Amino acid sequence: MMDIRNIAIIAHVDHGKTTLVDKILHATSVFRANEETGELIMDNNDLERERGITIFSKNAAVTYKGVKINVIDTPGHADFGGEVERVLKMADGVCLLVDAFEGPMPQTRFVLGKALALGLKPIVIINKVDKPNCRPDEVHDAVFELFFNLDASEEQLDFPTFYGSGKNGWFNDSLEQIEGIEPLLDGILKHVPPPKATREGSLQMQVTSLDYSSFLGRIAIGRVARGVIKENQPITLMQADGTVKKQRVRELYVFEGMGKKKVAEVVAGDLCAVVGIEGFNIGDTLADFDNPEALPTISIDEPTMNMMFSINNSPFFGRDGKFVTSRHLRDRLMKETEKNLALRVKDTDSADSFLVYGRGILHLGILIETMRREGYELTIGQPQVLVKEIDGVKCEPFETLVVDVPQEYASKVIDLVTRRKGEMLIMETKGEMQHLEFDIPSRGLIGLRTNMLTNTAGEAVMNHRFSEYKPWKGPIPGRNNGVLLAKDNGQTTGYSLDKLQDRGFFFVDPGEEVYKGMIIGENNKPGDLVVNPNEGKKLTNMRASGSDAASNIAPKRLMTLEECMEYIQQDECIEVTPNNIRMRKVILDEEERKKQSKRMSAEAI
């Protein structure tokens, strides 16, 4: 039987997880010498490459000194915590990567806490020691303190530490620079225990993630916890709700390098992909045919935010999307909940709208961006936090916010956060940077990033993670200024935009098509203003000096999807199509909006 090690690589965003996986793949000769591989090999999704972050966890397997090492690359963002929580179930050890300058960050704490609770053996890797003003010894002490605060066992506190630079391709158990990452691979073989699984007994395997192939259909991925699973073997699928289905395994694959290899059987302790099982969900157990025993189901932290997803009902409906009906939208959202465990979808009173619950703006933003690239058109409403009643008290989610910012901007950051009901917990100096930690309601984070980057000349580095539900903090000020709205359908003209420039700034350029009720800019003052951006210049046959002076129009402000989600207010929504992202009022007609606001104020009284 082959010797196996299962390791998950965990770290905060941008601390070098995917780069480390690259180096492991190269060091164990997964690729031919002349093969072009590029960088960040595991981030093979377009969105991951564009944003430089890992969104979906992935598997690879390498062989080193006759031992098979299954490597699981995990996401670093709190919004994808659901991905991390379930894949840690497949591992026996974790490699915790920490940046030699930044030290442990909020995300590190979140993922490490989950790993230690599962009893996994940790190896600490202090990465980027080639950076100027890095502080590996201080970071090592900070990591030890973090382990201690997370109630690590005596054995877990005695963790081995490796230092190195993933970019330069070396890791060592001391700060002495060497060639290659072999000391780290030796450390994995030495410190990570082989799987505790036993071949004896009936089959047990939990589905911890799924893959899809247009040729093979849905594929169940997981780790065999007990017994042996074989090709063509009859099995029992045990579901979380207690349903039991008799099925048969059609094909079996194990991971090899970046791909999969077909095998006849997989023994306990190894990770495998099973083809031929129908109707399974993540967390279900594949068990013995005759005397099935289920494994405990996977529990995932609850969502903290929801948004309304509706069909696109703007005047430009159906222009550039392939999937535009409510049936398309519903099917796509239901399909997403199968593999995205932290996501929930609920029907509403309207057949055209669905409430989607997620872990944060980025979590929902990635789903919307993926859908628009697949050809969907939809309208999304303002993100709302989930409010709970605990012991008769109205409570809302709070997050721990960590901001690293140059010292001259620290006061601006503190001012911005305290205005949004945040409380400062820690303030310390790290080199030339000020390290600030706050406790802030999740509502206060919506729209904060854009404001903070504006006020700190783009220098602030902001991270946050959910901490707990606490009593409601009262109203939080939203956007101060109103918006500029288009009066009629038509094309914007340079002439009219030039005349309106003193009213505010624009989200559209001359020559763009707009419709009545669409948000085309931000007003300089509070309150919304309806303007006519489509007016052309009246032509005369008389020419006067100066009257034809070239108009100087400031370029439009480009807004990303996440920025739009943070920008809009309660009575606004975003129209998302494959080629455009437009902000608009929910009620497009001005008269109707006035009637609605009168009704609302009458009800409030």
Side-chain angles (χ1 to χ4, degrees):
M1 177 182 164
M2 191 170 189
D3 208 357
I4 296 171
R5 300 286 185 278
N6 297 322
I7 58 158
I9 296 183
I10 59 174
H12 186 78
V13 183
D14 221 17
H15 280 197
K17 292 181 298 298
T18 308
T19 306
L20 172 64
V21 177
D22 286 2
K23 298 301 172 199
I24 292 176
L25 292 169
H26 284 295
T28 50
S29 310
V30 166
F31 306 107
R32 299 188 311 275
N34 62 350
E35 197 170 345
E36 276 290 318
T37 58
E39 290 185 348
L40 305 179
I41 307 158
M42 295 289 269
D43 283 352
N44 49 14
N45 173 292
D46 287 346
L47 270 176
E48 292 181 316
R49 287 197 166 277
E50 280 168 31
R51 291 167 184 246
I53 58 171
T54 303
I55 297 169
F56 309 105
S57 58
K58 302 176 198 65
N59 301 56
V62 300
T63 306
Y64 177 70
K65 294 190 174 173
V67 179
K68 179 179 181 181
I69 304 174
N70 283 312
V71 182
I72 305 159
D73 183 17
T74 64
H77 268 281
D79 287 23
F80 309 114
E83 283 279 319
V84 181
E85 285 170 59
R86 58 168 206 242
V87 297
L88 286 176
K89 290 264 179 130
M90 298 198 277
D92 297 296
V94 289
C95 288
L96 173 70
L97 260 136
V98 186
D99 186 299
F101 171 69
E102 291 184 348
M105 298 287 275
Q107 204 45 49
T108 320
R109 184 189 185 96
F110 168 79
V111 191
L112 182 63
K114 301 280 179 199
L116 294 177
L118 286 169
L120 303 182
K121 175 73 182 161
I123 292 176
V124 173
I125 303 169
I126 294 177
N127 191 16
K128 307 191 183 183
V129 295
D130 54 327
K131 262 183 157 179
N133 57 23
C134 65
R135 40 196 195 100
D137 295 333
E138 283 175 53
V139 167
H140 182 271
D141 296 344
V143 172
F144 184 85
E145 203 174 305
L146 176 62
F147 270 75
F148 186 76
N149 292 341
L150 290 171
D151 299 327
S153 65
E154 287 284 325
E155 193 189 350
Q156 287 172 329
L157 278 171
D158 186 21
F159 54 81
T161 308
F162 290 86
Y163 301 88
S165 160
K167 196 167 108 186
N168 298 333
W170 69 272
F171 285 102
N172 199 358
D173 51 8
S174 68
L175 279 164
E176 181 195 346
Q177 185 165 344
I178 50 141
E179 273 295 308
I181 66 163
E182 282 70 26
L184 173 61
L185 292 170
D186 291 331
I188 289 171
L189 300 193
K190 181 180 169 187
H191 298 290
V192 176
K196 293 191 186 76
T198 163
R199 286 191 66 157
E200 276 65 62
S202 57
L203 167 69
Q204 273 187 322
M205 170 184 153
Q206 189 157 40
V207 180
T208 43
S209 63
L210 55 87
D211 201 355
Y212 183 79
S213 144
S214 48
F215 181 61
L216 299 168
R218 290 173 79 222
I219 302 168
I221 295 173
R223 169 178 159 173
V224 184
R226 190 175 73 189
V228 182
I229 187 166
K230 298 179 180 172
E231 217 174 12
N232 290 325
Q233 177 181 353
I235 54 140
T236 304
L237 175 69
M238 306 188 75
Q239 300 195 285
D241 58 4
T243 325
V244 173
K245 296 178 185 168
K246 301 295 186 190
Q247 305 226 2
R248 184 180 289 274
V249 175
R250 211 166 68 224
E251 290 176 4
L252 273 180
Y253 293 85
V254 292
F255 295 95
E256 188 177 72
M258 294 290 298
K260 300 186 187 80
K261 179 177 81 168
K262 193 173 174 191
V263 289
E265 66 170 37
V266 179
V267 295
D270 205 352
L271 311 186
C272 68
V274 184
V275 175
I277 310 297
E278 285 170 19
F280 67 85
N281 293 311
I282 288 170
D284 294 352
T285 306
L286 307 187
D288 187 64
F289 188 76
D290 298 320
N291 29 354
E293 289 173 59
L295 287 160
T297 53
I298 299 174
S299 63
I300 296 287
D301 285 355
E302 289 297 302
T304 56
M305 194 171 273
N306 69 18
M307 285 175 82
M308 187 69 80
F309 280 49
S310 316
I311 59 166
N312 182 12
N313 57 2
S314 86
F316 294 168
F317 154 83
R319 283 195 181 183
D320 46 350
K322 280 191 294 190
F323 307 109
V324 293
T325 66
S326 56
R327 186 177 58 84
H328 284 140
L329 185 59
R330 185 196 160 85
D331 291 350
R332 177 66 183 83
L333 289 171
M334 291 307 176
K335 185 179 159 197
E336 186 67 24
T337 55
E338 289 178 359
K339 63 174 187 289
N340 196 334
L341 282 200
L343 200 79
R344 310 258 190 290
V345 178
K346 275 191 184 167
D347 291 323
T348 61
D349 302 340
S350 157
D352 295 338
S353 302
F354 307 93
L355 256 185
V356 180
Y357 296 79
R359 286 286 271 273
I361 293 243
L362 186 66
H363 184 208
L364 293 165
I366 292 288
L367 167 64
I368 297 160
E369 184 63 41
T370 310
M371 286 173 67
R372 71 178 273 234
R373 289 178 183 214
E374 289 170 4
Y376 285 83
E377 277 193 21
L378 62 154
T379 305
I380 48 175
Q382 187 192 22
Q384 306 284 343
V385 298
L386 300 186
V387 180
K388 286 184 180 177
E389 196 160 296
I390 302 170
D391 302 331
V393 180
K394 182 182 179 186
C395 292
E396 64 174 325
F398 273 68
E399 312 222 1
T400 304
L401 169 70
V402 176
V403 184
D404 288 304
V405 67
Q407 286 178 352
E408 66 262 33
Y409 298 119
S411 58
K412 286 186 176 176
V413 170
I414 295 166
D415 178 46
L416 269 176
V417 178
T418 44
R419 265 197 253 153
R420 289 165 173 263
K421 302 281 197 282
E423 285 176 27
M424 189 153 73
L425 308 173
I426 295 172
M427 180 176 185
E428 57 189 30
T429 307
K430 277 188 184 177
E432 296 160 14
M433 304 288 272
Q434 202 73 30
H435 176 80
L436 307 166
E437 287 192 24
F438 302 91
D439 196 30
I440 183 172
S442 297
R443 286 180 300 145
L445 288 169
I446 298 174
L448 179 63
R449 185 181 294 273
T450 319
N451 270 351
M452 192 174 285
L453 290 175
T454 310
N455 282 305
T456 60
E459 294 274 352
V461 178
M462 202 177 126
N463 293 291
H464 53 88
R465 69 178 181 89
F466 170 71
S467 57
E468 59 182 324
Y469 272 83
K470 288 186 187 174
W472 182 263
K473 269 277 188 135
I476 290 178
R479 190 178 71 208
N480 295 327
N481 295 3
V483 289
L484 300 174
L485 299 164
K487 187 178 177 183
D488 283 309
N489 299 3
Q491 262 193 359
T492 56
T493 62
Y495 173 75
S496 55
L497 289 186
D498 184 35
K499 295 280 178 280
L500 292 166
Q501 279 192 102
D502 55 347
R503 297 289 191 184
F505 58 81
F506 289 98
F507 303 137
V508 291
D509 276 334
E512 281 191 36
E513 275 204 84
V514 297
Y515 52 79
K516 186 177 179 177
M518 179 172 150
I519 297 172
I520 59 167
E522 183 175 303
N523 193 356
N524 285 335
K525 298 174 183 164
D528 298 340
L529 186 65
V530 178
V531 296
N532 181 5
N534 315 336
E535 194 182 354
K537 185 177 178 190
K538 302 289 181 288
L539 297 177
T540 65
N541 57 1
M542 299 288 286
R543 299 182 69 85
S545 66
S547 64
D548 286 349
S551 53
N552 295 320
I553 303 172
K556 71 174 179 183
R557 179 174 292 188
L558 288 166
M559 300 275 276
T560 64
L561 179 61
E562 273 93 18
E563 284 170 346
C564 290
M565 285 159 76
E566 292 184 341
Y567 185 82
I568 58 171
Q569 299 295 301
Q570 188 89 41
D571 63 337
E572 296 161 1
C573 58
I574 308 168
E575 175 192 355
V576 179
T577 73
N579 301 331
N580 296 289
I581 295 172
R582 303 182 184 98
M583 291 182 284
R584 48 165 277 200
K585 288 288 179 185
V586 174
I587 300 170
L588 295 176
D589 188 78
E590 190 183 358
E591 292 304 316
E592 283 295 318
R593 279 201 300 279
K594 284 178 182 167
K595 284 179 192 167
Q596 175 80 359
S597 65
K598 276 180 189 165
R599 272 201 300 271
M600 301 277 273
S601 44
E603 282 170 18
I605 295 163

